[in-house]
Amino acid sequence: MSRVVKKSPSVCTDLPLDNTDICNKLSLLKQLLISCFGPAGRLKQIHNNIGGRVISTSTSSVLLSALSSSQPFINLIRTSVLNHVSRFNDCGLFTAILCLTLLEQAKQSGLRRNVSIIVNKHLLGLCTSYLQGQNCGCKVKLDFCSSQYFITLAFSVISSKPACVLTEPEALHISKLAVQAFLLTVPCNNTGVARLGKTLTVCVEGHPVLDSAVFPGLLVDMPDIFFLNAENLHGRSLCTVLFSASLAGDLCELGDGNIELHGDADTDSQILDQLLELGKQVVQDGVNLFVCQKVIHPVLQQYLRGQSVTVIERLGISLMESLSQLAGRFLHLFLIPPKAYGKVKELTIKQFGSKTMLHIHPSGESAICTMILCHRNDTMLSELKVVCQKTEHVLRLTLREPCALMGGGCTETHLAAYIRNKSASLLGCSQTEYLLGAEGFCRSLESVAAALDHKCGNSLTDLTHAHYWTLPADVVEDHMENSLGVCGCGLVESCPSKKWTYLNTKYPEFSPAPVSKGTHLQVRVLDSFTSKLSGLQVAVETANLALDVQYIIQDTN
């Protein structure tokens, strides 16, 4: 059949970074992301122009997923950043802002694009080698014998998400809970291959944030709490059996194969008889807790409860996997082989607002825990849940690389000073071109640090350690020492002998000195080492990819 509407030709855009419309959209995206960046960032409300729910967030994963563009060039950058966030759960805004700033600096410098790509690639290698080296001056080693650095790392992630609307004591409380949950999911006495546990999150709306708590073991909803056998609430070990198959008596759950039925056979009563035989067996074997992932036949439930067995049905696959890890393996069939039973320590009842929950305590060491998250309304609670999941992932990354980077913009300014001090020349470009490209790279790093300030203050760096400082807009330079306090990460204190310079200005090259270990100050802001290193790599590589794009061919049909 012929087309109703004639097919339109594809649209070809050459040199997209020279296109005014695309550059304006990139600039707008950069301003949007900068306004969300850091603890003082602004919230964003996103609403699709054809309808749908309004999303309030400042988290990069939610923000970039909700944003859509008809421009493939912008979607290329957005998708690259989202891929980084899906893998590392942190530093999404850092990655996006740095990438967009590198593109902006490359355009302003007037360098040939292939030269910008060569210089960026070389400087990325320089940064990566320095950050992974033993003498890195902006890296902090984490000691698993102390929880202080881990709480600081968690607090840095949580406090940087203003959509959670947390006070400082509330953010600190959630940070401690996140670290507690993380440590509970790390097995202690595992001789073989260590398998990390799992933290399950239960949200309770309308209660204070400080009511949030972490419990070892599993908490499950118990709407039929009046069916719970009181004998099983005592502090004694309980024999447990778990089923993943439906026990409702459905023929489809009997497995594959052919079923032969006699004409006068009553299948329902025969299946029920088999279920009751199963019930008699578990009662005879001394089972106290009977759990099924799916539905349990009402007659079987009544029989088991009459025999003082606590019954839980419709648990779901997610909770079932966690309970099997806590209590023992679960069964797929009606037949119960020897040694198939698990153990739990005890059952207790917990009340959170209108929610009545059954707390299943592990009988020994278990890497399963439950976090109860409370907040004032649903929007804040949803954002807090996302942030806590990201924090858990960031903490787990420390098991791979037990270190962190100084936060608050100090890593960015420190790297910029380090690069400026490593002047060199490259094949494929002149010394002048290299220095011009390196200056653009350093200014991009410093611009990311400066984006943390949302009060129109002045951004500075000291000429000793190259840390980041913010000077309030209403303070004159004569009183600078008394107004600066400490640097962005909190590890360096202002003193009269220190010298500062404004960011994105020319200053004498120097090798940034590491902070003395004898300092009495404690670091206040930390960034995930693994996430930030990956974010730096993704930002530079995505910027290089964008610089290398010559044509965009878009199908408009």
Side-chain angles (χ1 to χ4, degrees):
M1 192 175 77
S2 61
R3 297 178 62 90
V4 177
V5 180
K6 188 177 179 181
K7 186 177 180 180
S8 303
S10 298
V11 175
C12 180
T13 305
D14 63 327
L15 299 175
L17 284 174
D18 291 339
N19 185 290
T20 305
D21 180 55
I22 292 177
C23 288
N24 288 338
K25 288 180 179 178
L26 289 174
S27 178
L28 181 62
L29 177 62
K30 179 187 168 186
Q31 292 173 26
L32 175 69
L33 297 175
I34 284 176
S35 66
C36 299
F37 193 41
R42 309 296 190 252
L43 302 186
K44 290 293 169 286
Q45 288 191 322
I46 307 165
H47 185 245
N48 196 300
N49 60 1
I50 60 172
R53 63 190 287 260
V54 177
I55 300 172
S56 299
T57 187
S58 61
T59 306
S60 59
S61 58
V62 179
L63 184 66
L64 291 172
S65 298
L67 291 175
S68 59
S69 174
S70 59
Q71 179 50 251
F73 191 78
I74 293 175
N75 286 332
L76 169 71
I77 297 171
R78 186 176 70 94
T79 304
S80 180
V81 176
L82 280 173
N83 181 57
H84 159 77
V85 174
S86 68
R87 293 172 59 213
F88 296 96
N89 280 294
D90 195 24
C91 297
L93 292 176
F94 162 81
T95 304
I97 294 169
L98 179 58
C99 174
L100 294 170
T101 310
L102 284 168
L103 291 175
E104 191 178 84
Q105 287 290 332
K107 185 175 174 62
Q108 291 175 0
S109 69
L111 286 172
R112 290 172 293 153
R113 292 184 183 179
N114 65 316
V115 172
S116 294
I117 292 171
I118 292 171
V119 174
N120 285 347
K121 189 175 180 179
H122 171 74
L123 296 178
L124 173 61
L126 202 64
C127 290
T128 303
S129 299
Y130 179 64
L131 291 174
Q132 292 177 333
Q134 295 294 325
N135 298 321
C136 178
C138 56
K139 187 163 65 174
V140 176
K141 290 187 178 180
L142 301 180
D143 182 6
F144 280 87
C145 295
S146 171
S147 63
Q148 184 57 48
Y149 279 146
F150 294 95
I151 294 172
T152 302
L153 180 58
F155 183 82
S156 302
V157 176
I158 292 168
S159 62
S160 68
K161 305 296 184 289
C164 294
V165 195
L166 299 174
T167 63
E168 187 170 338
E170 289 172 342
L172 183 59
H173 178 66
I174 296 296
S175 303
K176 290 179 179 179
L177 292 183
V179 174
Q180 181 186 352
F182 160 66
L183 294 175
L184 284 172
T185 59
V186 179
C188 296
N189 302 319
N190 205 324
T191 55
V193 177
R195 180 188 176 189
L196 292 178
K198 188 176 182 181
T199 300
L200 291 103
T201 305
V202 177
C203 295
V204 180
E205 184 183 349
H207 282 254
V209 176
L210 295 177
D211 287 352
S212 302
V214 168
F215 299 94
L218 197 63
L219 273 77
V220 297
D221 280 315
M222 283 292 290
D224 299 330
I225 200 68
F226 48 87
F227 286 129
L228 185 63
N229 181 27
E231 294 179 7
N232 291 336
L233 292 178
H234 298 302
R236 63 188 182 91
S237 181
L238 304 176
C239 184
T240 306
V241 65
L242 314 176
F243 285 92
S244 63
S246 171
L247 299 179
D250 303 322
L251 286 173
C252 61
E253 293 287 343
L254 295 178
D256 298 330
N258 299 321
I259 301 176
E260 293 183 6
L261 297 175
H262 297 287
D264 57 347
D266 185 353
T267 56
D268 289 341
S269 62
Q270 289 184 8
I271 292 174
L272 181 57
D273 289 342
Q274 290 295 319
L275 291 174
L276 289 175
E277 285 296 324
L278 174 70
K280 291 175 183 177
Q281 181 184 349
V282 299
V283 170
Q284 184 179 352
D285 292 340
V287 169
N288 309 104
L289 179 62
F290 190 101
V291 183
C292 184
Q293 178 183 324
K294 300 177 183 177
V295 180
I296 302 175
H297 197 288
V299 176
L300 179 58
Q301 287 192 51
Q302 185 179 9
Y303 170 77
L304 291 171
R305 285 171 176 150
Q307 299 295 322
S308 301
V309 178
T310 299
V311 180
I312 303 175
E313 64 169 347
R314 306 182 191 188
L315 196 64
I317 183 64
S318 178
L319 289 175
M320 198 68 179
E321 288 176 352
S322 300
L323 184 55
S324 68
Q325 199 173 341
L326 182 146
R329 66 191 182 111
F330 55 80
L331 305 172
H332 300 274
L333 303 173
F334 292 169
L335 300 175
I336 306 178
K339 299 181 181 179
Y341 297 118
K343 291 282 185 183
V344 298
K345 182 180 180 182
E346 62 177 341
L347 304 177
T348 57
I349 297 173
K350 300 285 186 185
Q351 191 76 33
F352 299 97
S354 60
K355 287 191 175 185
T356 303
M357 309 198 76
L358 181 68
H359 186 189
I360 304 174
H361 298 258
S363 59
E365 182 195 335
S366 172
I368 300 295
C369 67
T370 305
M371 178 182 281
I372 303 293
L373 280 183
C374 304
H375 216 322
R376 293 175 280 277
N377 63 47
D378 181 60
T379 302
M380 299 175 187
L381 192 57
S382 298
E383 184 82 355
L384 183 60
K385 182 180 179 180
V386 171
V387 171
C388 285
Q389 290 170 346
K390 291 180 178 298
T391 305
E392 179 189 10
H393 191 265
V394 166
L395 290 170
R396 287 190 171 197
L397 290 175
T398 60
L399 296 172
R400 184 192 306 174
E401 289 281 354
C403 52
L405 292 174
M406 296 174 185
C410 291
T411 292
E412 288 85 343
T413 53
H414 186 91
L415 280 176
Y418 174 79
I419 290 170
R420 284 194 175 102
N421 189 52
K422 291 285 183 179
S423 300
S425 59
L426 283 174
L427 293 175
C429 66
S430 65
Q431 178 77 5
T432 304
E433 287 176 325
Y434 172 79
L435 292 175
L436 196 59
E439 183 62 26
F441 192 96
C442 294
R443 284 175 179 262
S444 298
L445 287 170
E446 291 175 343
S447 295
V448 176
L452 290 166
D453 176 51
H454 297 274
K455 298 179 181 179
C456 301
N458 295 309
S459 297
L460 300 91
T461 183
D462 66 90
L463 299 179
T464 306
H465 306 288
H467 280 221
Y468 173 72
W469 307 74
T470 302
L471 183 67
D474 57 348
V475 176
V476 295
E477 290 189 25
D478 294 340
H479 301 90
M480 184 184 293
E481 292 83 358
N482 299 324
S483 304
L484 287 172
V486 294
C487 67
C489 72
L491 204 55
V492 181
E493 193 173 20
S494 171
C495 64
S497 61
K498 269 196 170 34
K499 294 182 180 180
W500 290 269
T501 183
Y502 291 100
L503 287 188
N504 289 322
T505 59
K506 289 283 186 180
Y507 59 81
E509 294 176 6
F510 69 100
S511 178
V515 180
S516 172
K517 293 183 179 180
T519 179
H520 66 282
L521 297 176
Q522 288 289 333
V523 64
R524 297 180 183 178
V525 185
L526 287 173
D527 290 332
S528 168
F529 175 82
T530 308
S531 297
K532 196 147 200 175
L533 180 59
S534 171
L536 176 65
Q537 293 168 338
V538 169
V540 176
E541 289 167 0
T542 304
N544 283 350
L545 177 62
L547 286 168
D548 205 28
V549 173
Q550 298 293 319
Y551 298 98
I552 297 174
I553 301 173
Q554 186 177 6
D555 186 4
T556 58
N557 294 286

